[in-house]
Amino acid sequence: MALVSIDGDDLVVVIEGLDKLWALKSSLTIPLANVRGATADPGIAADPKGIRAPGAHLPGVITAGTFHLDGEKVFWDVKNPSKAVVIELADERYTRLVLQVDDPRSTVALIEKALR
Amino acid sequence: MGRRRAFDEDEVVRAAVELFGGRSYDGVSIDDLVNHLGVHRNSLYKTFGSKRGLYLVALRRHLADDVRPLAETLAAATDAATALRLVTSADLGLLLLAAAERAPADEEVATEVTTALATVDQAIADALGIPIDLAAALTATALGLRLRGDPGGAGAALTRRLDPLD
């Protein structure tokens, strides 16, 4: 699971617990200027993920780490797809982040409000 | 560089207008958009950034394609009954949903809705030669009739009383 917060002009994502082990990341800091939007998207977990490098993917259990698909690099940290949020980025190492958060609706609202 | 977009953005946005105009914002999932619009999920994110990003593009398209032409048509209205009938019969599904559902929670949507309604008000005021606040009352009445779900019957009853406006 990920904790998403806004710190000044940055979006901060902290990967919690053992997930940081699978994802090989403990946190990401992204300038809000490079955040294009956020969307609650439970259905995304059923889509092809691409090639994992590095990270962990046990279908139905955990998807965590960096995945490459169609020339895009996507960071995943999702165990429970019903709580998945997609954060689209620009000019960043990752094209998008797919994160499991505690409350997708409030996370999306937090990011959208920070972008306006 | 990602792959080239393999879809017609214009068609996708128009389809999104239909989808968002018929259902609440929260009632439209990304799966719904992917299925109805025939666009890959990744392309959708790549192009519009988020569901809200696509919604704003769709809303602006609706205002340009459906509401602005209504304002132009209203310019030819010669009486209040005609203006009322034109507004109640126009395709305003997304505008109505946006006004009721999204505008209170999203100031960018609120601005778009307010501007669009002001355009309609102005068109009615200009066409009928009435004050803008009276035109706004007529617009509000027409939209209210749309929400009632029986615009024909209620509208006809009202138009019989609108002669003094002319």
Side-chain angles (χ1 to χ4, degrees):
Chain A
M1 192 148 96
L3 282 177
V4 176
S5 60
I6 306 294
D7 181 11
D9 292 330
D10 291 330
L11 176 79
V12 178
V13 177
V14 176
I15 311 298
E16 288 192 301
L18 280 177
D19 285 9
K20 72 182 72 160
L21 199 66
W22 317 130
L24 300 172
K25 277 245 177 294
S26 58
S27 71
L28 293 159
T29 300
I30 292 146
L32 281 170
N34 292 353
V35 177
R36 296 184 59 210
T39 308
D41 186 2
I44 194 169
D47 270 19
K49 315 280 180 307
I51 298 162
R52 164 175 53 91
H57 184 208
L58 287 173
V61 181
I62 186 166
T63 305
T66 303
F67 288 73
H68 300 259
L69 181 68
D70 297 339
E72 295 181 335
K73 194 186 269 195
V74 182
F75 180 81
W76 280 79
D77 177 25
V78 174
K79 275 189 262 193
N80 178 358
S82 71
K83 297 196 165 192
V85 166
V86 178
I87 302 172
E88 186 75 9
L89 307 177
D91 303 323
E92 284 286 325
R93 204 165 136 246
Y94 294 105
T95 303
R96 70 187 58 91
L97 314 176
V98 187
L99 308 170
Q100 178 181 331
V101 297
D102 185 42
D103 184 345
R105 182 183 281 263
S106 65
T107 300
V108 167
L110 175 80
I111 296 171
E112 285 181 346
K113 197 174 170 202
L115 294 180
R116 279 177 218 160
Chain B
M1 289 290 286
R3 289 195 307 189
R4 281 185 62 211
R5 279 183 235 150
F7 64 90
D8 183 332
E9 194 172 322
D10 204 53
E11 281 179 22
V12 163
V13 172
R14 201 57 234 178
V17 170
E18 299 300 319
L19 202 57
F20 283 124
R23 241 188 266 181
S24 72
Y25 179 78
D26 284 337
V28 177
S29 69
I30 296 295
D31 284 353
D32 292 330
L33 291 165
V34 167
N35 292 332
H36 284 77
L37 275 48
V39 181
H40 287 300
R41 192 181 305 261
N42 292 351
S43 302
L44 200 147
Y45 285 125
K46 191 90 184 158
T47 308
F48 302 103
S50 65
K51 176 172 143 183
R52 178 178 177 269
L54 171 57
Y55 180 85
L56 281 171
V57 172
L59 177 61
R60 287 172 184 139
R61 171 64 58 81
H62 173 57
L63 301 180
D65 287 2
D66 303 315
V67 180
R68 198 179 301 148
L70 167 66
E72 286 161 11
T73 310
L74 279 165
T78 51
D79 54 53
T82 304
L84 194 68
R85 194 180 64 250
L86 284 170
V87 178
T88 53
S89 60
D91 176 10
L92 301 178
L94 182 49
L95 176 65
L96 284 169
L97 271 178
E101 187 201 13
R102 292 299 294 163
D106 188 324
E107 64 256 28
E108 219 167 330
V109 172
T111 301
E112 295 289 350
V113 168
T114 304
T115 305
L117 291 177
T119 305
V120 173
D121 295 344
Q122 192 63 55
I124 292 175
D126 291 346
L128 303 184
I130 59 176
I132 190 75
D133 53 353
L134 191 54
L138 200 60
T139 306
T141 302
L143 296 180
L145 288 169
R146 284 289 305 267
L147 291 171
R148 283 286 302 269
D150 179 25
L158 183 63
T159 51
R160 286 196 291 273
R161 307 255 178 184
L162 288 175
D163 288 345
L165 287 181
D166 299 337

